[in-house]
Amino acid sequence: MSITLTKTQEIFIQTKLQTGKYGSAEEVLEVALRLLDEYDRADRQWIDSVRVKIDAAVAMSEHTPPIDGETFIAGICDRFRQARESKQGYTN
């Protein structure tokens, strides 16, 4: 496989090589690709986790009576206010 790098990418790799931490451009790219793979896997795990939480919330909502938006927002505001008040109690 042949890859053409931009000037910015070349400078980035050269800068990494100058630190002495990497022995070759291939090593820099290997580390970069490994990190990209880790990032993609973490992203996938996060998405899966959110899906599980959404599915759980949907399932719970099927057994919970509906609530109007104003009551819902008031409940959220109350929880934020209580959390803020409890934090202020710790800092005084």
Side-chain angles (χ1 to χ4, degrees), residues 19-87:
T19 67
K21 185 175 178 182
Y22 304 98
S24 66
E26 290 79 11
E27 187 178 354
V28 173
L29 292 173
E30 182 180 323
V31 170
L33 292 172
R34 186 170 6 101
L35 289 172
L36 177 61
D37 185 50
E38 288 176 19
Y39 173 83
D40 287 345
R41 277 189 271 127
D43 189 49
R44 181 86 232 144
Q45 289 173 346
W46 181 83
I47 289 170
D48 291 344
S49 170
V50 169
R51 276 198 178 112
V52 167
K53 291 174 184 176
I54 289 171
D55 290 345
V58 168
M60 185 184 299
S61 73
E62 292 171 355
H63 305 289
T64 305
I67 186 171
D68 69 272
E70 193 172 312
T71 303
F72 178 75
I73 297 299
I76 291 173
C77 290
D78 286 343
R79 289 199 313 232
F80 278 123
R81 188 178 82 282
Q82 290 170 2
R84 186 176 54 241
E85 288 171 357
S86 68
K87 283 184 179 181

